[in-house]
Amino acid sequence: MDKKIIESLVSIVGEDNFTDTLIDLVSFSYDSSGLNNRPEAAIWVQTTEQVAAVLKLANAHKIPVTPRGAGTSLTGSAVPRQGGLVMDMSRMNKILAISIEDRQVKVQPGVVFDDLNHTLADTGFFFPPNPASGKVATIGGNVATNAGGVKGAKYGTTRDYVLDLEVVLADGSILHTGAKTMKCVSGYDLTRLFVGSEGTLGVVTEISLKIDPLPKASVTCTATFESLPQAGKAVSAIMRSGIVPSVLELMDSPSLQAVNKATDLDLPEVAAMLLVETDGFTQHEVDWQMGIIIEALEGNGAIKIARASTTEEAEKLWAARKAIYGVLTRLNYNVLAEDIVVPISKVASMLEAVMGVSERSGVMIATVAHAGDGNIHPVIVYDGTDPEEVKKVKQVEGELYKLAIALGGTLTGEHGVGMSKAGYMGLEHDPVFMKVMNGLKDFFDPNAILNPGKLGLDV
Ligand SMILES: Cc1cc2nc3c(=O)[nH]c(=O)nc-3n(C[C@H](O)[C@H](O)[C@H](O)COP(=O)(O)OP(=O)(O)OC[C@H]3O[C@@H](n4cnc5c(N)ncnc54)[C@H](O)[C@@H]3O)c2cc1C
């Protein structure tokens, strides 16, 4: 990077917040996808004014800038694809305000998801999206990727909770979107435009979030099935019953077998297992809801239903679901967690199709699904050091995307597009959609400095 630019950056953020040492640049070249590309320098920003000054400088010199939270992206969205500068947001990590009667909090983007909920615990409220990476992922990253989690069917995703944003645009100007009210229709919904935009339209520097009352009671059960279509029928019956479970997770037989190989949980090696949770404010309420769900399970081919009557028993039922990802990472050198979504009624068909792809290609795929919102994670387990296998995995990925889209689904429900799905955007979206996306990008970031090479944009 040009010496004068480095001097200007140091004068904006201070010496302690600038780095171009090799060891730091190698770290900043990766996120959790395994994709990588090295930046020329990285900075930690601490104020909105610093973000604005840096973007103004970068824009004038056409230097690519990649915002970064905790780097837990599974799609390469935090990888500085075109080099340039990484802007690390993790030091903007203050909870600025908590207003329970207004049901909202205001945070800086570097606040870690779990830290916000730990702070809120005593208030009886919480911020629900709950990504599995919540111990480290930042709320700025959650907003930029529209993160979700196992409770999506009942509580939705990050998008459902963002009230307003402060965003620094590529030219350094500062935009305020939305309002600190529960309702707002004054003008275009720019807040929703920025949620999920993966740092390609602006850098988020402040976020107001709606919070929900924290449920005080829950009950968990598991149910096993002899076939995927049977489990799919049970999912549909639960969704038709009028009860919205707080968790409705499905694990297929390769997942159950993998957990058995690596743990002593001794799971039944059936075609599918459902994990269901209801939550609410009294034990009576959650038991009543679970009673209706158990009727739906019994009436739709569940072989065995296990219901937890204590917290310890519930933990045991959760153990298999919590173990899966870690177990799969131990089976081979690489895992690739896909993130397709199909209409809820098509979950079983998609799961069968995934197993068909695995059988035909010989590539191991173990699948877990947030069945309650149709979000399916086929996890491809493979040897990334074998070029032939890498080629096969690429083909498998393409097949999975095509199958999901043919069923009326989408490429991604939570992990985003990043680099890994950029080449497939045209498969899901028509040319008019891509033209509008490119037009918006061009309006907000005419020099294409913000996180270039993501989302399938023409940059
Ligand atoms: C083990 C594991 C489990 C996971 N489980 C889930 C899950 O259950 N649900 C889920 O949704 N995701 C999950 N993820 C993916 C990932 O954690 C989420 O996408 C998360 O929201 C990323 O947050 P981050 O702070 O790490 O952001 P990063 O990975 O650093 O960045 C992600 C994107 O956000 C942009 N960005 C970051 N901060 C800002 C900002 N302030 N302004 C503008 N753009 C910004 C980056 O440029 C990038 O495009 C998981 C990842 C791992 C490794």
Side-chain angles (χ1 to χ4, degrees):
M1 185 170 281
D2 183 85
K3 204 163 160 257
K4 279 212 172 96
I5 305 271
I6 293 179
E7 279 167 12
S8 303
L9 287 169
V10 168
S11 78
I12 297 167
V13 296
E15 227 167 277
D16 291 348
N17 292 310
F18 173 89
T19 184
D20 59 0
T21 65
L22 181 62
I23 190 155
D24 284 343
L25 297 187
V26 170
S27 303
F28 280 120
S29 64
Y30 283 90
D31 61 17
S32 303
S33 65
L35 300 167
N36 66 90
N37 192 50
R38 205 176 294 172
E40 290 172 72
I43 50 162
W44 289 265
V45 284
Q46 284 172 304
T47 65
T48 301
E49 291 67 35
Q50 286 179 354
V51 175
V54 170
L55 288 187
K56 206 169 165 191
L57 177 78
N59 199 38
H61 296 274
K62 299 194 170 60
I63 299 167
V65 179
T66 303
R68 182 182 178 96
T72 64
S73 167
L74 293 169
T75 65
S77 65
V79 170
R81 189 173 193 174
Q82 293 184 10
L85 187 65
V86 168
M87 182 182 278
D88 187 307
M89 309 303 293
S90 62
R91 294 184 184 168
M92 288 185 77
N93 59 358
K94 291 191 188 68
I95 297 173
L96 299 170
I98 298 177
S99 174
I100 299 300
E101 65 182 357
D102 290 325
R103 278 190 60 191
Q104 60 190 265
V105 295
K106 185 169 150 188
V107 297
Q108 289 187 317
V111 171
V112 169
F113 177 89
D114 275 6
D115 290 349
L116 174 61
N117 276 333
H118 290 148
T119 306
L120 285 174
D122 288 342
T123 69
F125 282 73
F126 77 130
F127 170 48
N130 199 17
S133 52
K135 272 194 185 125
V136 282
T138 65
I139 296 191
N142 298 163
V143 169
T145 57
N146 189 24
V150 289
K151 302 201 175 187
K154 181 164 179 181
Y155 291 103
T157 57
T158 302
R159 177 168 279 144
D160 301 308
Y161 296 88
V162 182
L163 295 173
D164 75 16
L165 293 173
E166 179 184 83
V167 186
V168 182
L169 302 181
D171 64 1
S173 53
I174 299 170
L175 169 73
H176 292 98
T177 74
K180 285 182 181 47
T181 51
M182 289 293 125
K183 292 169 158 181
C184 167
V185 279
S186 87
Y188 295 141
D189 192 346
L190 297 184
T191 309
R192 280 177 88 89
L193 176 62
F194 279 93
V195 178
S197 64
E198 300 187 9
T200 61
L201 298 179
V203 178
V204 174
T205 47
E206 266 182 29
I207 306 153
S208 293
L209 297 166
K210 191 169 75 168
I211 50 176
D212 269 1
L214 184 65
K216 292 184 169 48
S218 66
V219 60
T220 305
C221 87
T222 55
T224 52
F225 296 87
E226 256 166 18
S227 73
L228 282 171
Q230 201 67 60
K233 265 179 77 182
V235 168
S236 297
I238 291 170
M239 298 316 281
R240 270 198 313 270
S241 73
I243 303 296
V244 183
S246 47
V247 172
L248 179 49
E249 292 287 290
L250 188 148
M251 288 155 269
D252 71 352
S253 65
S255 306
L256 297 170
Q257 284 167 21
V259 173
N260 274 350
K261 261 191 213 153
T263 70
D264 55 6
L265 287 172
D266 197 22
L267 300 170
E269 294 197 358
V270 286
M273 181 163 96
L274 290 180
L275 174 78
V276 196
E277 181 199 85
T278 55
D279 73 2
F281 291 87
T282 65
Q283 201 56 45
H284 174 75
E285 177 194 358
V286 297
D287 286 343
W288 175 77
Q289 291 183 50
M290 188 54 87
I292 292 174
I293 286 175
I294 286 178
E295 267 174 38
L297 291 167
E298 285 170 345
N300 286 278
I303 314 168
K304 193 172 168 211
I305 298 172
R307 178 185 168 141
S309 45
T310 62
T311 315
E312 291 72 38
E313 280 179 26
E315 276 302 314
K316 264 194 198 154
L317 297 184
W318 269 97
R321 175 64 184 88
K322 286 186 178 165
I324 285 175
Y325 193 72
V327 161
L328 295 175
T329 58
R330 277 183 258 151
L331 293 184
N332 210 332
Y333 294 111
N334 298 80
V335 293
L336 190 60
E338 295 295 344
D339 175 42
I340 49 189
V341 194
V342 293
I344 300 167
S345 60
K346 299 288 192 301
V347 167
S349 314
M350 188 66 219
L351 288 167
E352 282 198 294
V354 172
M355 290 190 89
V357 171
S358 175
E359 276 159 24
R360 278 196 303 281
S361 63
V363 172
M364 180 184 174
I365 310 180
T367 304
V368 290
H370 309 315
D373 60 15
N375 192 181
I376 297 173
H377 296 303
V379 184
I380 304 172
V381 183
Y382 69 106
D383 177 359
T385 63
D386 175 351
E388 276 307 306
E389 206 166 321
V390 172
K391 213 164 121 192
K392 251 201 255 177
V393 167
K394 276 272 145 230
Q395 280 165 358
V396 162
E397 259 195 309
E399 255 189 85
L400 294 178
Y401 298 152
K402 276 188 202 144
L403 285 163
I405 289 162
L407 287 170
T410 175
L411 296 171
T412 174
E414 327 179 305
H415 299 167
V417 175
M419 285 158 71
S420 56
K421 293 178 204 113
Y424 295 99
M425 285 290 273
L427 196 66
E428 177 173 347
H429 300 291
D430 61 29
V432 179
F433 180 93
M434 292 312 295
K435 191 174 154 197
V436 172
M437 285 253 302
N438 278 298
L440 287 166
K441 171 70 176 170
D442 202 37
F443 172 80
F444 282 104
D445 181 19
N447 291 328
I449 61 158
L450 284 168
N451 207 2
K454 313 295 164 67
L455 281 176
L457 296 160
D458 301 337
V459 286

